[in-house]
mmCIF file of all heavy atoms in Angstrom:
data_model
loop_
_atom_site.group_PDB
_atom_site.id
_atom_site.type_symbol
_atom_site.label_atom_id
_atom_site.label_comp_id
_atom_site.label_asym_id
_atom_site.label_seq_id
_atom_site.Cartn_x
_atom_site.Cartn_y
_atom_site.Cartn_z
ATOM 1 N N THR A 1 28.604 129.831 -14.752
ATOM 2 C CA THR A 1 27.214 129.343 -14.980
ATOM 3 C C THR A 1 27.051 128.589 -16.302
ATOM 4 O O THR A 1 26.002 128.043 -16.620
ATOM 5 C CB THR A 1 26.226 130.494 -14.996
ATOM 6 O OG1 THR A 1 26.527 131.352 -16.068
ATOM 7 C CG2 THR A 1 26.281 131.323 -13.651
ATOM 8 N N VAL A 2 28.120 128.568 -17.092
ATOM 9 C CA VAL A 2 28.014 127.904 -18.385
ATOM 10 C C VAL A 2 29.135 126.854 -18.568
ATOM 11 O O VAL A 2 29.878 126.709 -17.617
ATOM 12 C CB VAL A 2 28.087 128.904 -19.520
ATOM 13 C CG1 VAL A 2 26.941 129.806 -19.506
ATOM 14 C CG2 VAL A 2 29.366 129.752 -19.429
ATOM 15 N N ASN A 3 29.213 126.209 -19.633
ATOM 16 C CA ASN A 3 30.157 125.168 -19.900
ATOM 17 C C ASN A 3 31.601 125.686 -19.716
ATOM 18 O O ASN A 3 31.943 126.680 -20.334
ATOM 19 C CB ASN A 3 29.970 124.645 -21.317
ATOM 20 C CG ASN A 3 30.733 123.275 -21.512
ATOM 21 O OD1 ASN A 3 31.813 123.123 -21.040
ATOM 22 N ND2 ASN A 3 30.048 122.384 -22.209
ATOM 23 N N SER A 4 32.378 125.035 -18.839
ATOM 24 C CA SER A 4 33.705 125.492 -18.560
ATOM 25 C C SER A 4 34.629 125.379 -19.718
ATOM 26 O O SER A 4 35.735 125.944 -19.740
ATOM 27 C CB SER A 4 34.290 124.690 -17.398
ATOM 28 O OG SER A 4 34.346 123.240 -17.728
ATOM 29 N N GLN A 5 34.245 124.580 -20.841
ATOM 30 C CA GLN A 5 35.083 124.530 -22.004
ATOM 31 C C GLN A 5 34.997 125.747 -22.916
ATOM 32 O O GLN A 5 35.771 125.938 -23.761
ATOM 33 C CB GLN A 5 34.583 123.325 -22.847
ATOM 34 C CG GLN A 5 34.765 122.000 -22.105
ATOM 35 C CD GLN A 5 34.335 120.797 -22.955
ATOM 36 O OE1 GLN A 5 33.682 120.973 -23.988
ATOM 37 N NE2 GLN A 5 34.564 119.641 -22.468
ATOM 38 N N ILE A 6 34.057 126.628 -22.613
ATOM 39 C CA ILE A 6 33.949 127.848 -23.407
ATOM 40 C C ILE A 6 34.998 128.897 -22.962
ATOM 41 O O ILE A 6 35.008 129.243 -21.811
ATOM 42 C CB ILE A 6 32.491 128.475 -23.264
ATOM 43 C CG1 ILE A 6 31.518 127.518 -23.826
ATOM 44 C CG2 ILE A 6 32.399 129.763 -23.990
ATOM 45 C CD1 ILE A 6 30.070 127.899 -23.665
ATOM 46 N N SER A 7 35.798 129.365 -23.903
ATOM 47 C CA SER A 7 36.955 130.176 -23.530
ATOM 48 C C SER A 7 36.614 131.657 -23.865
ATOM 49 O O SER A 7 37.399 132.491 -23.434
ATOM 50 C CB SER A 7 38.185 129.682 -24.283
ATOM 51 O OG SER A 7 38.015 129.733 -25.674
ATOM 52 N N ASN A 8 35.641 131.982 -24.635
ATOM 53 C CA ASN A 8 35.338 133.341 -24.969
ATOM 54 C C ASN A 8 34.908 134.110 -23.716
ATOM 55 O O ASN A 8 34.276 133.525 -22.834
ATOM 56 C CB ASN A 8 34.243 133.453 -26.030
ATOM 57 C CG ASN A 8 34.777 133.100 -27.424
ATOM 58 O OD1 ASN A 8 35.915 132.863 -27.639
ATOM 59 N ND2 ASN A 8 33.910 133.085 -28.363
ATOM 60 N N PRO A 9 35.269 135.380 -23.641
ATOM 61 C CA PRO A 9 34.756 136.235 -22.537
ATOM 62 C C PRO A 9 33.236 136.214 -22.535
ATOM 63 O O PRO A 9 32.620 136.260 -23.605
ATOM 64 C CB PRO A 9 35.351 137.530 -22.872
ATOM 65 C CG PRO A 9 36.498 137.341 -23.729
ATOM 66 C CD PRO A 9 36.156 136.137 -24.518
ATOM 67 N N GLY A 10 32.650 136.222 -21.368
ATOM 68 C CA GLY A 10 31.218 136.270 -21.287
ATOM 69 C C GLY A 10 30.728 137.618 -20.783
ATOM 70 O O GLY A 10 31.174 138.059 -19.683
ATOM 71 N N TYR A 11 29.901 138.255 -21.465
ATOM 72 C CA TYR A 11 29.326 139.570 -21.124
ATOM 73 C C TYR A 11 27.900 139.440 -20.736
ATOM 74 O O TYR A 11 27.065 139.062 -21.532
ATOM 75 C CB TYR A 11 29.496 140.565 -22.257
ATOM 76 C CG TYR A 11 30.933 140.886 -22.568
ATOM 77 C CD1 TYR A 11 31.702 140.103 -23.478
ATOM 78 C CD2 TYR A 11 31.579 142.055 -22.011
ATOM 79 C CE1 TYR A 11 33.001 140.400 -23.712
ATOM 80 C CE2 TYR A 11 32.938 142.356 -22.313
ATOM 81 C CZ TYR A 11 33.612 141.532 -23.177
ATOM 82 O OH TYR A 11 34.938 141.805 -23.401
ATOM 83 N N LEU A 12 27.566 139.720 -19.486
ATOM 84 C CA LEU A 12 26.223 139.626 -19.002
ATOM 85 C C LEU A 12 25.450 140.912 -19.292
ATOM 86 O O LEU A 12 25.862 142.013 -19.003
ATOM 87 C CB LEU A 12 26.278 139.435 -17.475
ATOM 88 C CG LEU A 12 24.892 139.334 -16.737
ATOM 89 C CD1 LEU A 12 24.123 138.117 -17.188
ATOM 90 C CD2 LEU A 12 25.094 139.346 -15.262
ATOM 91 N N VAL A 13 24.311 140.702 -19.981
ATOM 92 C CA VAL A 13 23.425 141.758 -20.291
ATOM 93 C C VAL A 13 22.774 142.226 -19.030
ATOM 94 O O VAL A 13 21.960 141.475 -18.455
ATOM 95 C CB VAL A 13 22.421 141.456 -21.428
ATOM 96 C CG1 VAL A 13 21.593 142.646 -21.782
ATOM 97 C CG2 VAL A 13 23.144 140.916 -22.630
ATOM 98 N N ASP A 14 22.986 143.459 -18.559
ATOM 99 C CA ASP A 14 22.427 143.919 -17.251
ATOM 100 C C ASP A 14 20.975 144.341 -17.373
ATOM 101 O O ASP A 14 20.353 144.203 -18.435
ATOM 102 C CB ASP A 14 23.294 145.049 -16.662
ATOM 103 C CG ASP A 14 23.301 146.325 -17.535
ATOM 104 O OD1 ASP A 14 22.394 146.473 -18.347
ATOM 105 O OD2 ASP A 14 24.246 147.131 -17.387
ATOM 106 N N GLU A 15 20.432 144.827 -16.280
ATOM 107 C CA GLU A 15 19.017 145.239 -16.222
ATOM 108 C C GLU A 15 18.661 146.421 -17.099
ATOM 109 O O GLU A 15 17.540 146.628 -17.426
ATOM 110 C CB GLU A 15 18.658 145.556 -14.760
ATOM 111 C CG GLU A 15 18.641 144.376 -13.809
ATOM 112 C CD GLU A 15 17.712 143.240 -14.294
ATOM 113 O OE1 GLU A 15 16.604 143.608 -14.721
ATOM 114 O OE2 GLU A 15 18.101 142.007 -14.193
ATOM 115 N N LYS A 16 19.677 147.114 -17.574
ATOM 116 C CA LYS A 16 19.507 148.244 -18.472
ATOM 117 C C LYS A 16 19.596 147.745 -19.914
ATOM 118 O O LYS A 16 19.435 148.574 -20.865
ATOM 119 C CB LYS A 16 20.446 149.361 -18.195
ATOM 120 C CG LYS A 16 20.336 150.010 -16.868
ATOM 121 C CD LYS A 16 21.343 151.142 -16.716
ATOM 122 C CE LYS A 16 21.218 151.792 -15.343
ATOM 123 N NZ LYS A 16 22.204 152.850 -15.144
ATOM 124 N N GLY A 17 19.874 146.508 -20.081
ATOM 125 C CA GLY A 17 20.060 145.978 -21.481
ATOM 126 C C GLY A 17 21.396 146.359 -22.079
ATOM 127 O O GLY A 17 21.598 146.344 -23.276
ATOM 128 N N GLU A 18 22.409 146.526 -21.170
ATOM 129 C CA GLU A 18 23.738 146.973 -21.631
ATOM 130 C C GLU A 18 24.819 145.983 -21.222
ATOM 131 O O GLU A 18 24.622 145.159 -20.312
ATOM 132 C CB GLU A 18 24.048 148.318 -21.041
ATOM 133 C CG GLU A 18 23.139 149.429 -21.424
ATOM 134 C CD GLU A 18 23.393 150.769 -20.713
ATOM 135 O OE1 GLU A 18 24.111 150.723 -19.657
ATOM 136 O OE2 GLU A 18 22.957 151.830 -21.208
ATOM 137 N N ILE A 19 25.943 146.054 -21.938
ATOM 138 C CA ILE A 19 27.150 145.303 -21.509
ATOM 139 C C ILE A 19 28.321 146.336 -21.475
ATOM 140 O O ILE A 19 28.251 147.385 -22.126
ATOM 141 C CB ILE A 19 27.520 144.154 -22.474
ATOM 142 C CG1 ILE A 19 27.683 144.677 -23.936
ATOM 143 C CG2 ILE A 19 26.453 143.096 -22.431
ATOM 144 C CD1 ILE A 19 28.112 143.615 -24.885
ATOM 145 N N ASN A 20 29.255 146.015 -20.642
ATOM 146 C CA ASN A 20 30.425 146.927 -20.470
ATOM 147 C C ASN A 20 31.600 146.370 -21.236
ATOM 148 O O ASN A 20 32.183 145.335 -20.925
ATOM 149 C CB ASN A 20 30.806 147.000 -18.919
ATOM 150 C CG ASN A 20 31.831 148.073 -18.703
ATOM 151 O OD1 ASN A 20 32.159 148.864 -19.583
ATOM 152 N ND2 ASN A 20 32.347 148.134 -17.455
ATOM 153 N N ILE A 21 31.958 147.025 -22.367
ATOM 154 C CA ILE A 21 32.981 146.530 -23.292
ATOM 155 C C ILE A 21 34.232 147.371 -23.148
ATOM 156 O O ILE A 21 34.227 148.572 -23.022
ATOM 157 C CB ILE A 21 32.438 146.715 -24.765
ATOM 158 C CG1 ILE A 21 31.302 145.745 -25.031
ATOM 159 C CG2 ILE A 21 33.584 146.394 -25.717
ATOM 160 C CD1 ILE A 21 31.626 144.339 -25.195
ATOM 161 N N HIS A 22 35.387 146.631 -23.150
ATOM 162 C CA HIS A 22 36.662 147.319 -23.041
ATOM 163 C C HIS A 22 36.839 148.331 -24.233
ATOM 164 O O HIS A 22 36.490 148.014 -25.364
ATOM 165 C CB HIS A 22 37.770 146.252 -23.148
ATOM 166 C CG HIS A 22 39.174 146.712 -22.923
ATOM 167 N ND1 HIS A 22 39.509 147.339 -21.738
ATOM 168 C CD2 HIS A 22 40.226 146.691 -23.650
ATOM 169 C CE1 HIS A 22 40.826 147.651 -21.770
ATOM 170 N NE2 HIS A 22 41.345 147.262 -22.944
ATOM 171 N N HIS A 23 37.321 149.512 -23.937
ATOM 172 C CA HIS A 23 37.475 150.604 -24.919
ATOM 173 C C HIS A 23 36.133 151.388 -25.063
ATOM 174 O O HIS A 23 36.114 152.600 -25.107
ATOM 175 C CB HIS A 23 37.933 150.257 -26.273
ATOM 176 C CG HIS A 23 39.366 149.744 -26.284
ATOM 177 N ND1 HIS A 23 40.372 150.469 -25.730
ATOM 178 C CD2 HIS A 23 39.938 148.635 -26.819
ATOM 179 C CE1 HIS A 23 41.530 149.834 -25.962
ATOM 180 N NE2 HIS A 23 41.275 148.750 -26.556
ATOM 181 N N LEU A 24 35.012 150.651 -25.200
ATOM 182 C CA LEU A 24 33.703 151.304 -25.558
ATOM 183 C C LEU A 24 32.844 151.665 -24.347
ATOM 184 O O LEU A 24 31.949 152.465 -24.469
ATOM 185 C CB LEU A 24 32.942 150.364 -26.462
ATOM 186 C CG LEU A 24 33.588 149.948 -27.727
ATOM 187 C CD1 LEU A 24 32.711 149.013 -28.577
ATOM 188 C CD2 LEU A 24 34.062 151.122 -28.595
ATOM 189 N N GLY A 25 33.132 151.048 -23.206
ATOM 190 C CA GLY A 25 32.260 151.293 -22.047
ATOM 191 C C GLY A 25 30.957 150.598 -22.199
ATOM 192 O O GLY A 25 30.839 149.579 -22.832
ATOM 193 N N TYR A 26 29.865 151.167 -21.563
ATOM 194 C CA TYR A 26 28.594 150.538 -21.627
ATOM 195 C C TYR A 26 27.899 150.821 -22.909
ATOM 196 O O TYR A 26 27.822 152.003 -23.433
ATOM 197 C CB TYR A 26 27.654 151.077 -20.483
ATOM 198 C CG TYR A 26 28.087 150.507 -19.110
ATOM 199 C CD1 TYR A 26 28.983 151.189 -18.274
ATOM 200 C CD2 TYR A 26 27.546 149.325 -18.626
ATOM 201 C CE1 TYR A 26 29.318 150.662 -17.064
ATOM 202 C CE2 TYR A 26 27.907 148.756 -17.445
ATOM 203 C CZ TYR A 26 28.764 149.443 -16.677
ATOM 204 O OH TYR A 26 29.160 148.956 -15.434
ATOM 205 N N ILE A 27 27.470 149.752 -23.643
ATOM 206 C CA ILE A 27 26.738 149.911 -24.864
ATOM 207 C C ILE A 27 25.408 149.104 -24.725
ATOM 208 O O ILE A 27 25.377 148.064 -24.092
ATOM 209 C CB ILE A 27 27.561 149.497 -26.036
ATOM 210 C CG1 ILE A 27 27.858 147.971 -25.991
ATOM 211 C CG2 ILE A 27 28.783 150.262 -26.221
ATOM 212 C CD1 ILE A 27 28.443 147.451 -27.247
ATOM 213 N N ARG A 28 24.437 149.621 -25.398
ATOM 214 C CA ARG A 28 23.081 148.911 -25.322
ATOM 215 C C ARG A 28 23.055 147.830 -26.428
ATOM 216 O O ARG A 28 23.294 148.081 -27.568
ATOM 217 C CB ARG A 28 21.940 149.930 -25.500
ATOM 218 C CG ARG A 28 20.560 149.309 -25.370
ATOM 219 C CD ARG A 28 19.432 150.317 -25.344
ATOM 220 N NE ARG A 28 18.157 149.777 -25.187
ATOM 221 C CZ ARG A 28 17.639 149.351 -23.987
ATOM 222 N NH1 ARG A 28 18.355 149.542 -22.905
ATOM 223 N NH2 ARG A 28 16.459 148.793 -23.891
ATOM 224 N N VAL A 29 22.720 146.647 -25.947
ATOM 225 C CA VAL A 29 22.674 145.494 -26.890
ATOM 226 C C VAL A 29 21.316 144.827 -26.893
ATOM 227 O O VAL A 29 21.017 144.055 -27.809
ATOM 228 C CB VAL A 29 23.717 144.419 -26.508
ATOM 229 C CG1 VAL A 29 25.127 145.049 -26.651
ATOM 230 C CG2 VAL A 29 23.557 143.837 -25.068
ATOM 231 N N GLU A 30 20.433 145.125 -25.915
ATOM 232 C CA GLU A 30 19.144 144.527 -25.851
ATOM 233 C C GLU A 30 18.350 144.908 -27.099
ATOM 234 O O GLU A 30 18.318 145.990 -27.555
ATOM 235 C CB GLU A 30 18.366 145.018 -24.629
ATOM 236 C CG GLU A 30 16.992 144.320 -24.426
ATOM 237 C CD GLU A 30 16.223 144.875 -23.238
ATOM 238 O OE1 GLU A 30 16.621 145.919 -22.709
ATOM 239 O OE2 GLU A 30 15.209 144.252 -22.887
ATOM 240 N N GLY A 31 17.768 143.858 -27.735
ATOM 241 C CA GLY A 31 16.939 144.068 -28.927
ATOM 242 C C GLY A 31 17.757 143.852 -30.242
ATOM 243 O O GLY A 31 17.172 143.810 -31.331
ATOM 244 N N LEU A 32 19.062 143.749 -30.091
ATOM 245 C CA LEU A 32 19.886 143.448 -31.254
ATOM 246 C C LEU A 32 19.973 141.901 -31.556
ATOM 247 O O LEU A 32 19.858 141.136 -30.600
ATOM 248 C CB LEU A 32 21.311 143.993 -31.085
ATOM 249 C CG LEU A 32 21.472 145.523 -30.924
ATOM 250 C CD1 LEU A 32 22.953 145.860 -30.705
ATOM 251 C CD2 LEU A 32 20.906 146.309 -32.086
ATOM 252 N N THR A 33 20.161 141.541 -32.789
ATOM 253 C CA THR A 33 20.505 140.203 -33.032
ATOM 254 C C THR A 33 21.998 140.017 -32.892
ATOM 255 O O THR A 33 22.770 141.046 -32.796
ATOM 256 C CB THR A 33 20.133 139.796 -34.448
ATOM 257 O OG1 THR A 33 20.893 140.499 -35.380
ATOM 258 C CG2 THR A 33 18.604 140.072 -34.715
ATOM 259 N N LEU A 34 22.505 138.787 -32.883
ATOM 260 C CA LEU A 34 23.964 138.565 -32.806
ATOM 261 C C LEU A 34 24.684 139.175 -34.027
ATOM 262 O O LEU A 34 25.732 139.766 -33.883
ATOM 263 C CB LEU A 34 24.237 137.038 -32.735
ATOM 264 C CG LEU A 34 23.781 136.337 -31.485
ATOM 265 C CD1 LEU A 34 24.221 134.862 -31.560
ATOM 266 C CD2 LEU A 34 24.389 136.996 -30.227
ATOM 267 N N LYS A 35 24.019 139.066 -35.177
ATOM 268 C CA LYS A 35 24.709 139.670 -36.409
ATOM 269 C C LYS A 35 24.725 141.190 -36.285
ATOM 270 O O LYS A 35 25.770 141.754 -36.671
ATOM 271 C CB LYS A 35 23.853 139.264 -37.615
ATOM 272 C CG LYS A 35 24.506 139.695 -38.925
ATOM 273 C CD LYS A 35 23.574 139.314 -40.113
ATOM 274 C CE LYS A 35 23.527 137.862 -40.249
ATOM 275 N NZ LYS A 35 22.678 137.396 -41.506
ATOM 276 N N GLU A 36 23.674 141.789 -35.776
ATOM 277 C CA GLU A 36 23.721 143.249 -35.638
ATOM 278 C C GLU A 36 24.728 143.671 -34.628
ATOM 279 O O GLU A 36 25.459 144.735 -34.850
ATOM 280 C CB GLU A 36 22.299 143.707 -35.202
ATOM 281 C CG GLU A 36 21.299 143.578 -36.316
ATOM 282 C CD GLU A 36 19.800 143.840 -35.859
ATOM 283 O OE1 GLU A 36 19.592 143.785 -34.620
ATOM 284 O OE2 GLU A 36 18.970 144.087 -36.674
ATOM 285 N N LEU A 37 24.847 142.943 -33.530
ATOM 286 C CA LEU A 37 25.926 143.286 -32.565
ATOM 287 C C LEU A 37 27.298 143.082 -33.071
ATOM 288 O O LEU A 37 28.170 143.921 -32.838
ATOM 289 C CB LEU A 37 25.685 142.362 -31.300
ATOM 290 C CG LEU A 37 26.756 142.602 -30.215
ATOM 291 C CD1 LEU A 37 26.787 144.019 -29.669
ATOM 292 C CD2 LEU A 37 26.472 141.578 -29.020
ATOM 293 N N LYS A 38 27.514 142.093 -33.889
ATOM 294 C CA LYS A 38 28.815 141.894 -34.525
ATOM 295 C C LYS A 38 29.235 143.037 -35.343
ATOM 296 O O LYS A 38 30.272 143.577 -35.332
ATOM 297 C CB LYS A 38 28.762 140.613 -35.364
ATOM 298 C CG LYS A 38 29.907 140.467 -36.353
ATOM 299 C CD LYS A 38 29.607 139.268 -37.256
ATOM 300 C CE LYS A 38 30.608 139.216 -38.422
ATOM 301 N NZ LYS A 38 32.030 139.082 -38.063
ATOM 302 N N LEU A 39 28.283 143.501 -36.259
ATOM 303 C CA LEU A 39 28.532 144.616 -37.117
ATOM 304 C C LEU A 39 28.756 145.922 -36.334
ATOM 305 O O LEU A 39 29.596 146.727 -36.692
ATOM 306 C CB LEU A 39 27.410 144.757 -38.108
ATOM 307 C CG LEU A 39 27.175 143.622 -39.079
ATOM 308 C CD1 LEU A 39 25.939 143.886 -39.949
ATOM 309 C CD2 LEU A 39 28.454 143.414 -40.019
ATOM 310 N N LYS A 40 28.022 146.121 -35.273
ATOM 311 C CA LYS A 40 28.134 147.368 -34.464
ATOM 312 C C LYS A 40 29.524 147.363 -33.808
ATOM 313 O O LYS A 40 30.188 148.362 -33.761
ATOM 314 C CB LYS A 40 27.015 147.386 -33.388
ATOM 315 C CG LYS A 40 27.135 148.529 -32.436
ATOM 316 C CD LYS A 40 26.054 148.532 -31.411
ATOM 317 C CE LYS A 40 26.269 149.558 -30.371
ATOM 318 N NZ LYS A 40 26.439 150.884 -30.914
ATOM 319 N N LEU A 41 29.949 146.251 -33.221
ATOM 320 C CA LEU A 41 31.226 146.187 -32.548
ATOM 321 C C LEU A 41 32.410 146.376 -33.538
ATOM 322 O O LEU A 41 33.424 147.124 -33.212
ATOM 323 C CB LEU A 41 31.387 144.876 -31.822
ATOM 324 C CG LEU A 41 30.482 144.690 -30.577
ATOM 325 C CD1 LEU A 41 30.677 143.295 -29.985
ATOM 326 C CD2 LEU A 41 30.721 145.733 -29.521
ATOM 327 N N GLU A 42 32.323 145.818 -34.721
ATOM 328 C CA GLU A 42 33.307 145.954 -35.704
ATOM 329 C C GLU A 42 33.503 147.364 -36.123
ATOM 330 O O GLU A 42 34.630 147.910 -36.270
ATOM 331 C CB GLU A 42 33.123 145.056 -36.913
ATOM 332 C CG GLU A 42 33.275 143.575 -36.619
ATOM 333 C CD GLU A 42 33.037 142.691 -37.786
ATOM 334 O OE1 GLU A 42 32.310 143.194 -38.762
ATOM 335 O OE2 GLU A 42 33.435 141.491 -37.790
ATOM 336 N N LYS A 43 32.392 148.104 -36.216
ATOM 337 C CA LYS A 43 32.353 149.544 -36.569
ATOM 338 C C LYS A 43 32.923 150.385 -35.402
ATOM 339 O O LYS A 43 33.761 151.252 -35.563
ATOM 340 C CB LYS A 43 30.961 149.980 -36.960
ATOM 341 C CG LYS A 43 30.910 151.438 -37.298
ATOM 342 C CD LYS A 43 29.486 151.875 -37.591
ATOM 343 C CE LYS A 43 29.375 153.355 -37.935
ATOM 344 N NZ LYS A 43 28.000 153.794 -38.276
ATOM 345 N N ASP A 44 32.422 150.110 -34.157
ATOM 346 C CA ASP A 44 32.796 150.939 -33.055
ATOM 347 C C ASP A 44 34.273 150.763 -32.578
ATOM 348 O O ASP A 44 34.853 151.637 -31.951
ATOM 349 C CB ASP A 44 31.865 150.643 -31.898
ATOM 350 C CG ASP A 44 30.450 151.123 -32.121
ATOM 351 O OD1 ASP A 44 30.208 151.830 -33.145
ATOM 352 O OD2 ASP A 44 29.540 150.741 -31.317
ATOM 353 N N LEU A 45 34.827 149.506 -32.931
ATOM 354 C CA LEU A 45 36.234 149.315 -32.438
ATOM 355 C C LEU A 45 37.246 149.764 -33.492
ATOM 356 O O LEU A 45 38.418 149.636 -33.174
ATOM 357 C CB LEU A 45 36.355 147.817 -32.265
ATOM 358 C CG LEU A 45 35.700 147.238 -30.962
ATOM 359 C CD1 LEU A 45 35.780 145.698 -30.951
ATOM 360 C CD2 LEU A 45 36.327 147.816 -29.695
ATOM 361 N N GLN A 46 36.904 150.193 -34.633
ATOM 362 C CA GLN A 46 37.818 150.625 -35.645
ATOM 363 C C GLN A 46 38.792 151.722 -35.143
ATOM 364 O O GLN A 46 39.975 151.694 -35.511
ATOM 365 C CB GLN A 46 37.043 151.026 -36.926
ATOM 366 C CG GLN A 46 36.517 149.875 -37.709
ATOM 367 C CD GLN A 46 35.792 150.347 -38.942
ATOM 368 O OE1 GLN A 46 35.657 151.448 -39.228
ATOM 369 N NE2 GLN A 46 35.277 149.351 -39.665
ATOM 370 N N PRO A 47 38.359 152.683 -34.286
ATOM 371 C CA PRO A 47 39.315 153.702 -33.855
ATOM 372 C C PRO A 47 40.407 153.071 -32.964
ATOM 373 O O PRO A 47 41.470 153.716 -32.725
ATOM 374 C CB PRO A 47 38.418 154.719 -33.070
ATOM 375 C CG PRO A 47 37.059 154.486 -33.624
ATOM 376 C CD PRO A 47 36.991 153.047 -33.944
#
């Protein structure tokens, strides 16, 4: 549905406001800014 030149994985925010992330499972992202999501993922992926 988006530009085919984009190579990053695309995560669709579902009706619950969540995305399914490898290692982390479903996490709620609705209401976060991109910067807040970045910091959250960097913290949660450290293990």
Side-chain angles (χ1 to χ4, degrees):
T1 63
V2 294
N3 194 321
S4 60
Q5 296 178 351
I6 296 175
S7 59
N8 284 356
Y11 293 86
L12 177 65
V13 182
D14 64 20
E15 292 301 320
K16 296 181 180 179
E18 299 176 340
I19 58 176
N20 189 8
I21 295 283
H22 190 57
H23 291 309
L24 303 180
Y26 284 93
I27 63 171
R28 185 171 181 80
V29 298
E30 184 182 14
L32 299 179
T33 66
L34 293 182
K35 184 182 296 183
E36 289 169 342
L37 178 58
K38 165 187 166 65
L39 296 175
K40 174 178 173 57
L41 292 176
E42 288 178 345
K43 179 182 178 181
D44 292 350
L45 287 172
Q46 285 180 359

